[in-house]
Amino acid sequence: METSPALLAIVGLLLALWTAGAVWAMLRASGREQKSIASRQVAQRLSRLIEEAPAIPLLVRADGRIEAPDRLARWIGLDKVPEYMSELAGADGRGLTEAQMDDLTRNVRRTQKTAKPFRMAITVAPGSGKSLAMQGSLADPAVSPGGAALIWVFDFSESEAELLQLREEAARAREDFGALVGLIEAAPMPMWFRGADMQLRLVNQAYVEAVGADSADRVVTEQIELVETVNGRTATEVAQQAADRRQPIERIVSATIDRARRTIRVTDLPLMGEGIAGYAVDIEEMEEQAREFRAFREAQRSMLDQLSIGVAQFDAAHRMTFANQPFHRVFSLPPGVVNDRTTFQQMLLIARENGRIPEVRDFPAWRNELAEWFQRDEPHEEAWSLSDSTHLRIVAQPLPDGGLVMIAEDRTEQLALSATRDTLLRTRTATFDNLFEALAVFAPDGHLELWNRGFPGAWGIEHEVLDGHPQAEDLLGAIAPNLADPSAVSRINQVIRAATLDRKKSDGRIELANGRTLDFTGVPLPDGNGLLTVLDVTASRQAEQALRERNRALEEADAVMTRFLANMSYEFRTPLTSIGGFAELLTSGIAGELPPQAEEYAQAISLSVGKLTEQVENVLDLSQSEAGLMPLRQSKLELLPFVTQIVRKQERRILDSGLTLDLKGSPEKSVTADPHQLRRAISQLLDNAINGTPRGGRILVDIGRKRGETKIVIADNGRGMSQHELARALEGIRMSADGKGIERRQGLGIPLARQLIEAHGGTLEIHSRKNGGTTATITLP
């Protein structure tokens, strides 16, 4: 069967159309699938966005059904989202409470009816415990037709906590601010606040009282400044300067506070915001205390310079701030160590170089150990022995501010004195025990403290009686039986009481039963004790009695001698006068003219009688002078003419002996004396000078005045006398050693001259040297 070409063409055309339709259907189905996949992806993305959104949508339909993500169920504490809104309040107490449910239902119904939005907040206590905010409005018809309500639920739990914290902080800040304002208002110092325009905005009550205003409002209104203009700058300008610098400005100025001029420290303090705060501190008392402290410190340092102990002070940085002069001397420091702020370590180094520290093996380590004194809590003391045998006592006193006071005391002399004292104490103890006297020391309360070995033997008691340091009454009870009169022991008690309690010295004498005699004396001691000394005077008393008897015998012998000399002198005068008279008669030729030989004999007799008469007069005057019976007829004498007359009478002897005599003195020198007796004394001394000076010698007589006394010096360059010869010449006539006779020395001239001068209240001093001359010095008042 043959197919026509037209049929084939139609069939081919139909196949082509069918193929094209299938392809189009496939392409369309593919496009729809693509759109469906895209829609599902969009829905999933939107659902994810809703899940991740900070708010959850809740759709409430008109019939009460609800639509919401599952997350809402977790927020309100349910297992899943219920179907109806009334089921948001769970039966087991989870979800919303009945009150919250009533509020939510009322708001939703009003919105559904009136389209009025609402806001409410709830706290889900059980379950999740979240704080939720709900914003409701009428849902768009595209979302849900038929008057549904769309509620957005927000979780503001963290914000609520932060809000509560902020509220608490705000309340606390208000309380702090109130307390701060109250504190500023009650502050005793003036305080103020300036605005950005540097005008006063706020002042406290102290400021008001300081400027003498009625109220703070008046101060602010009238802009009354506390601080006056200083150096051309007002208080406002200083505050503006602090604001420009953004740094506090502190200054010390004077201001009138309560009508009194005071020194204050003013501070202008820029605040973080706008404005300047200021306050003023009254430092008048502080300044006064500072001045007093400086004066005290200067006085203290001046006083420390007067001490013999070295003192130095170091600050917390170990730098020397003060050192007195003894400290410089102890450590041989140069003058500028304080001004150079020398450190403690440097000071030790200087002292080491000068040999003023102990010899140590490791000086750096030793110095570091000493530096630890600054950190000690208590004073530290050391003894340093230096190489030159100096002993130092070092005291380190830490200060509260971290500094140090170092005290150096040179105890070399003290230690030497201590050693000497110990030696003296031992010596005193040995001397005390070996004294001939018996000694005992009693305390003020009467008990025996100290005694030597001779004390119990003096009273005839045993040593054991004193071992317990008995009271005075007990001791005297043991002594009483050994006394000749036991009742006399009360005298010893009185002496002990006078020395210990009355602080008076007293003594006494007592007889013992064995015939011994004791002298006892109570002496108050400086330490309050009393010393009782006991001396056995038995032998001395016997010797005293013997001496008294011998003295009486000597006095009687002396009286006999005086009477003998006086009688002898008077007895000699009668025959001497007769012999002299007859010799003068023979010489005058009454008995006829004598041959030359007889005339020479008569003249020799007259000369001998004169000398013998003079010797008798001297013996008589000497005996009267020694007995204190020398009669004086005093008158005023001009010394130079008076002595000149005496020299003139000896002129012939001086010339015949080949001597020269120099007489010196002022005519106005005068004394009150007996002319006869003074002439005899000077003549005797001049005779001795003439007799003791060989030919060609020189005699000096000098009259002068010194310290209100008149001095007559008679000096020669003759043979002189030894000390032994001079002593014998001064003694003259004295009783013999056995008291039974009279001894004649080298003459009566010098002893008589001394007695005559002493009778005038003067003195005679004679200095002589063998072959060196003799000098006699008469001193008259």
Side-chain angles (χ1 to χ4, degrees):
M1 167 177 192
E2 290 184 2
T3 305
S4 62
L7 182 62
L8 292 173
I10 292 171
V11 172
L13 180 61
L14 291 174
L15 290 173
L17 291 173
W18 180 83
T19 302
V23 171
W24 177 80
M26 291 176 63
L27 291 174
R28 185 177 181 184
S30 175
R32 289 180 177 178
E33 185 178 2
Q34 291 288 337
K35 288 181 180 180
S36 176
I37 293 173
S39 298
R40 286 196 302 269
Q41 290 177 348
V42 170
Q44 291 175 356
R45 186 167 60 252
L46 292 176
S47 176
R48 188 64 180 172
L49 289 175
I50 291 174
E51 286 290 334
E52 298 295 333
I56 299 176
L58 172 62
L59 184 64
V60 182
R61 299 181 184 276
D63 57 359
R65 290 186 176 185
I66 62 175
E67 294 182 12
D70 294 337
R71 191 155 53 114
L72 178 63
R74 296 193 297 271
W75 280 13
I76 62 177
L78 298 177
D79 295 334
K80 64 178 180 178
V81 178
E83 186 176 357
Y84 291 94
M85 184 179 66
S86 61
E87 297 175 353
L88 291 176
D92 53 358
R94 296 186 300 172
L96 304 183
T97 64
E98 292 181 0
Q100 294 170 347
M101 195 66 215
D102 292 343
D103 291 341
L104 179 60
T105 302
R106 185 173 56 257
N107 289 330
V108 169
R109 296 305 180 196
R110 186 174 64 243
T111 298
Q112 289 176 342
K113 292 179 181 180
T114 63
K116 183 178 180 180
F118 69 89
R119 293 175 180 269
M120 65 177 295
I122 63 174
T123 301
V124 185
S128 64
K130 290 182 176 294
S131 296
L132 304 178
M134 295 184 178
Q135 296 181 6
S137 62
L138 189 63
D140 189 272
V143 175
S144 178
L150 179 60
I151 302 172
W152 289 98
V153 182
F154 297 89
D155 183 2
F156 68 98
S157 300
E158 295 180 359
S159 300
E160 179 69 14
E162 293 176 357
L163 182 60
L164 291 175
Q165 183 179 358
L166 289 175
R167 287 174 181 171
E168 293 176 358
E169 291 178 355
R172 190 161 53 250
R174 284 193 297 271
E175 293 176 357
D176 293 344
F177 180 75
L180 181 60
V181 171
L183 178 63
I184 293 175
E185 185 65 20
M189 67 183 70
M191 303 182 72
W192 61 90
F193 172 73
R194 300 178 186 272
D197 56 355
M198 298 299 122
Q199 297 297 309
L200 292 175
R201 298 286 183 84
L202 177 67
V203 295
N204 66 348
Q205 185 62 30
Y207 189 101
V208 175
E209 295 175 356
V211 298
D214 299 334
S215 63
D217 294 337
R218 180 183 173 188
V219 173
V220 175
T221 302
E222 298 180 6
Q223 293 293 303
I224 302 176
E225 294 288 351
L226 173 67
V227 181
E228 305 166 358
T229 301
V230 180
N231 296 329
R233 294 194 305 169
T234 63
T236 304
E237 292 174 347
V238 175
Q240 184 63 52
Q241 184 179 3
D244 296 339
R245 293 181 179 179
R246 295 187 178 277
Q247 292 181 351
I249 294 180
E250 184 178 284
R251 54 186 178 142
I252 296 177
V253 297
S254 296
T256 302
I257 298 178
D258 294 336
R259 299 181 179 87
R261 203 66 177 169
R262 310 286 293 182
T263 301
I264 59 175
R265 181 186 290 112
V266 180
T267 302
D268 290 291
L269 181 65
L271 302 180
M272 296 298 296
E274 296 293 332
I276 299 292
Y279 58 89
V281 179
D282 189 344
I283 60 172
E284 181 68 27
E285 296 181 0
M286 187 185 304
E287 288 292 315
E288 182 65 24
Q289 291 177 356
R291 288 191 291 268
E292 292 178 358
F293 173 75
R294 287 192 293 269
F296 171 76
R297 183 178 61 185
E298 293 300 325
Q300 183 187 46
R301 293 183 173 179
S302 177
M303 178 189 67
L304 291 177
D305 275 335
Q306 306 304 319
L307 296 178
S308 60
I309 298 177
V311 180
Q313 185 173 349
F314 299 86
D315 58 16
H318 298 193
R319 293 176 304 208
M320 183 181 291
T321 58
F322 170 76
N324 64 354
Q325 293 302 320
F327 193 88
H328 283 77
R329 291 194 296 268
V330 168
F331 293 103
S332 300
L333 301 178
V337 290
V338 177
N339 295 332
D340 296 341
R341 310 288 284 179
T342 303
T343 64
F344 181 72
Q345 290 78 4
Q346 292 173 345
M347 186 275 294
L348 292 176
L349 182 60
I350 296 174
R352 182 195 183 196
E353 293 175 352
N354 295 326
R356 306 306 297 170
I357 65 170
E359 295 292 339
V360 292
R361 179 176 299 177
D362 189 350
F363 174 73
W366 179 78
R367 183 173 58 181
N368 293 335
E369 291 179 3
L370 265 59
E372 295 177 358
W373 288 350
F374 288 83
Q375 283 75 39
R376 288 181 177 268
D377 296 330
E378 298 178 351
H380 179 71
E381 182 175 338
E382 289 187 1
W384 290 3
S385 297
L386 308 186
S387 57
D388 59 352
S389 300
T390 300
H391 297 274
L392 300 180
R393 173 176 173 260
I394 305 297
V395 178
Q397 173 67 57
L399 299 178
D401 60 355
L404 181 75
V405 172
M406 184 175 177
I407 302 173
E409 179 185 4
D410 190 346
R411 303 188 64 186
T412 306
E413 183 177 355
Q414 182 178 355
L415 292 176
L417 290 176
S418 179
T420 304
R421 175 179 174 273
D422 293 340
T423 303
L424 290 176
L425 287 176
R426 290 192 296 269
T427 303
R428 187 192 69 176
T429 302
T431 304
F432 192 72
D433 279 337
N434 292 280
L435 283 176
F436 182 73
E437 292 179 314
L439 303 177
V441 177
F442 291 87
D445 60 358
H447 75 272
L448 182 64
E449 280 196 347
L450 184 65
W451 64 92
N452 66 351
R453 288 181 294 188
F455 186 78
W459 295 108
I461 58 178
E462 298 296 332
H463 290 269
E464 290 76 8
V465 177
L466 309 181
D467 290 342
H469 297 270
Q471 290 288 330
E473 291 78 4
D474 299 334
L475 176 63
L476 296 178
I479 293 176
N482 299 330
L483 302 181
D485 181 10
S487 63
V489 74
S490 60
R491 299 205 303 268
I492 306 174
N493 189 28
Q494 292 174 0
V495 170
I496 296 175
R497 289 179 59 87
T500 55
L501 299 180
D502 301 336
R503 312 299 299 161
K504 295 180 180 179
K505 180 180 179 180
S506 59
D507 54 21
R509 174 172 289 183
I510 199 164
E511 300 287 340
L512 297 184
N514 57 9
R516 291 189 298 122
T517 302
L518 301 181
D519 278 352
F520 55 92
T521 303
V523 181
L525 298 179
D527 59 355
N529 295 332
L531 174 66
L532 179 66
T533 65
V534 183
L535 181 62
D536 189 343
V537 295
T538 305
S540 61
R541 188 180 181 187
Q542 295 173 353
E544 179 183 358
Q545 185 66 26
L547 289 175
R548 283 201 180 108
E549 295 176 356
R550 185 172 183 181
N551 186 56
R552 285 195 296 270
L554 291 176
E555 289 177 352
E556 293 177 359
D558 187 60
V560 170
M561 181 194 70
T562 302
R563 289 193 298 271
F564 167 74
L565 291 177
N567 292 332
M568 182 185 69
S569 299
Y570 285 113
E571 292 294 333
F572 279 171
R573 284 182 179 181
T574 301
L576 288 176
T577 303
S578 299
I579 295 173
F582 287 123
E584 291 180 0
L585 290 175
L586 291 174
T587 305
S588 62
I590 293 179
E593 185 177 355
L594 298 177
Q597 186 83 20
E599 186 176 357
E600 183 179 352
Y601 290 158
Q603 291 177 353
I605 292 172
S606 297
L607 183 61
S608 297
V609 168
K611 289 184 179 181
L612 184 59
T613 302
E614 183 180 359
Q615 290 295 331
V616 171
E617 290 291 339
N618 290 342
V619 170
L620 179 61
D621 290 342
L622 184 60
S623 61
Q624 289 180 338
S625 178
E626 289 179 347
L629 302 176
M630 173 67 71
L632 295 178
R633 298 177 179 83
Q634 296 185 354
S635 62
K636 187 174 182 180
L637 299 176
E638 299 295 334
L639 277 180
L640 185 59
F642 180 74
V643 176
T644 302
Q645 292 177 3
I646 298 173
V647 173
R648 290 294 183 187
K649 289 184 178 181
Q650 301 287 346
E651 182 178 3
R652 173 54 54 188
R653 288 187 60 200
I654 295 172
L655 295 176
D656 293 343
S657 300
L659 305 176
T660 58
L661 187 144
D662 294 336
L663 177 61
K664 298 181 180 179
S666 300
E668 64 273 9
K669 297 293 188 303
S670 62
V671 294
T672 299
D674 186 329
H676 175 68
Q677 303 297 353
L678 183 60
R679 180 182 294 107
R680 292 182 64 190
I682 297 175
S683 297
Q684 290 289 349
L685 296 175
L686 185 59
D687 285 342
N688 289 337
I690 295 173
N691 294 332
T693 306
R695 181 173 295 276
R698 182 172 175 270
I699 299 175
L700 171 66
V701 179
D702 186 10
I703 303 172
R705 184 180 296 274
K706 186 176 182 181
R707 298 177 182 176
E709 296 178 332
T710 301
K711 293 184 179 295
I712 303 173
V713 179
I714 301 174
D716 63 72
N717 59 353
R719 293 183 295 273
M721 295 177 285
S722 64
Q723 294 300 316
H724 178 68
E725 293 173 342
L726 178 60
R728 291 177 61 84
L730 289 171
E731 289 180 4
I733 297 177
R734 288 292 185 270
M735 294 293 296
S736 60
D738 56 4
K740 298 180 179 179
I742 298 175
E743 292 184 355
R744 185 178 185 282
R745 303 300 184 186
Q746 293 184 351
L748 300 178
I750 294 178
L752 179 62
R754 184 175 64 177
Q755 292 291 341
L756 294 175
I757 293 171
E758 290 179 352
H760 286 80
T763 59
L764 173 62
E765 295 181 2
I766 298 178
H767 299 281
S768 183
R769 189 176 59 182
K770 194 69 173 177
N771 299 322
T774 303
T775 300
T777 303
I778 301 173
T779 302
L780 297 174

